[in-house]
Amino acid sequence: MVRPPALPPEEKVRIVLSILAGEMTVAEAARRAKVSGQSIGTWKRRFLESGRAGLAGKSGPGTR
């Protein structure tokens, strides 16, 4: 299975803010972005811990 291209950080921020504002659910966001709900949850956690910088790259204590 081919992995979809990575979303830019600005798009991840937009998605997370929409979820936090109650405009869409995690499941709906995952469907629209063509990623897993777990990925959305990771973006949300990183955003809440580090703001926009948390979504800019893959480095940090929470990555593998």
Side-chain angles (χ1 to χ4, degrees), residues 3 36 38-39 41-42 45-46 49 54 57-64:
R3 181 181 231 178
S36 70
Q38 184 176 2
S39 291
T42 298
R45 178 183 47 79
R46 287 183 184 169
E49 289 174 354
K58 291 190 172 193
S59 63
T63 60
R64 297 177 199 208

Side-chain angles (χ1 to χ4, degrees), residues 17-60:
L17 291 176
S18 292
I19 292 167
L20 293 175
E23 296 170 354
M24 70 174 86
T25 65
V26 170
E28 184 179 4
R31 253 189 328 274
R32 288 183 183 185
K34 297 180 181 164
V35 298
S36 70
Q38 184 176 2
S39 291
I40 300 285
T42 298
W43 300 347
K44 184 177 168 185
R45 178 183 47 79
R46 287 183 184 169
F47 180 81
L48 292 173
E49 289 174 354
S50 306
R52 292 180 190 269
L55 297 177
K58 291 190 172 193
S59 63

